[in-house]
Amino acid sequence: MNHLPEDMENALTGSQSSHASLRNIHSINPTQLMARIESYEGREKKGISDVRRTFCLFVTFDLLFVTLLWIIELNVNGGIENTLEKEVMQYDYYSSYFDIFLLAVFRFKVLILAYAVCRLRHWWAIALTTAVTSAFLLAKVILSKLFSQGAFGYVLPIISFILAWIETWFLDFKVLPQEAEEENRLLIVQDASERAALIPGGLSDGQFYSPPESEAESKTKQKGRK
């Protein structure tokens, strides 16, 4: 029962804010409305929003950063050629970092395909990559012998885990909500412009002119007051 007043207050606040936004939009003249619509349509013609482009850049950074760390690890542990042959051609799950690099490639391909090429507006792709990354890294840390191989045994798994979850947070709390908000604004502005097109150019004061009262009507009103 105590939650009812709070729910009613939240509903009233939401309705008041929506009505306020609608009043602000309807107070704009048709020229400004058309300018806003053109600006929103121009963003759509770009093909990808600015916040989604930033997300794709961060996904690319994820791949490049993990690749850089892996190359440094190869060079530190006896030279790139020898260590590369040992970790790739003679792959060992318990001691190789090659699978962590492949995990970064997997995240990059899935996320770029889903959110840059297909322009997906759902979280299932990022949920898949984050779940696979988290499960694989947890299993590798528990079962493998990475911690006995120096600092990179800690750095690569931790960095990969953190980057995967930052991507999830950025998409879920920045990309999808901001794009949904921009789409709602576009729909509201388009609806307001359609209504403004149906309204005449303006009403003159003469349309609201009321004729003066006759003497008979004024006498009738005075008698009624008495």
Side-chain angles (χ1 to χ4, degrees):
M1 295 296 291
N2 294 331
H3 294 287
L4 290 176
E6 296 179 358
D7 296 337
M8 293 176 65
E9 289 179 0
N10 293 332
L12 289 172
T13 305
S15 62
Q16 289 174 358
S17 60
S18 62
H19 286 311
S21 61
L22 287 173
R23 283 197 301 269
N24 292 333
I25 290 174
H26 286 295
S27 63
I28 301 172
N29 57 44
T31 304
Q32 292 176 338
L33 285 174
M34 292 304 298
R36 287 194 178 186
I37 292 174
E38 290 177 358
S39 66
Y40 284 121
E41 289 178 350
R43 293 176 188 175
E44 290 185 352
K45 289 179 181 178
K46 290 182 181 178
I48 187 171
S49 63
D50 294 336
V51 66
R52 186 179 288 256
R53 187 182 298 110
T54 304
F55 171 77
C56 294
L57 287 174
F58 186 80
V59 172
T60 307
F61 167 77
D62 176 12
L63 174 63
L64 295 178
F65 189 53
V66 173
T67 303
L68 177 64
L69 291 177
W70 183 51
I71 292 174
I72 294 173
E73 183 270 332
L74 292 176
N75 198 16
V76 168
N77 292 333
I80 294 179
E81 294 182 358
N82 296 330
T83 313
L84 187 64
E85 180 180 358
K86 179 181 178 182
E87 291 196 4
V88 178
M89 305 303 296
Q90 304 174 3
Y91 171 74
D92 184 8
Y93 173 78
Y94 298 97
S95 60
S96 178
Y97 297 95
F98 180 58
D99 46 12
I100 298 180
F101 165 74
L102 292 180
L103 199 61
V105 174
F106 164 74
R107 287 197 303 273
F108 175 79
K109 288 185 176 181
V110 172
L111 296 179
I112 294 297
L113 178 63
Y115 298 109
V117 179
C118 299
R119 300 172 193 171
L120 191 66
R121 293 190 176 184
H122 200 272
W123 48 263
W124 68 263
I126 192 78
L128 174 65
T129 57
T130 304
V132 171
T133 299
S134 300
F136 182 86
L137 291 176
L138 288 174
K140 190 173 183 66
V141 167
I142 294 172
L143 299 176
S144 67
K145 303 175 182 177
L146 295 179
F147 293 156
S148 61
Q149 300 182 21
F152 284 97
Y154 299 88
V155 172
L156 272 173
I158 292 174
I159 291 296
S160 298
F161 187 85
I162 292 175
L163 290 175
W165 279 98
I166 290 177
E167 290 167 354
T168 304
W169 172 84
F170 191 78
L171 181 79
D172 198 22
F173 289 93
K174 295 293 182 180
V175 178
L176 299 182
Q178 185 169 335
E179 288 184 347
E181 183 179 357
E182 290 182 355
E183 186 177 0
N184 291 333
R185 287 178 182 174
L186 176 60
L187 293 176
I188 292 174
V189 172
Q190 286 178 343
D191 182 64
S193 64
E194 291 174 358
R195 293 182 182 180
L198 299 176
I199 298 174
L203 296 176
S204 62
D205 294 336
Q207 291 175 288
F208 295 99
Y209 174 76
S210 58
E213 296 180 352
S214 62
E215 294 181 1
E217 291 178 350
S218 61
K219 290 180 179 180
T220 305
K221 288 183 177 180
Q222 290 177 358
K223 290 180 180 180
R225 292 176 181 174
K226 292 179 180 180

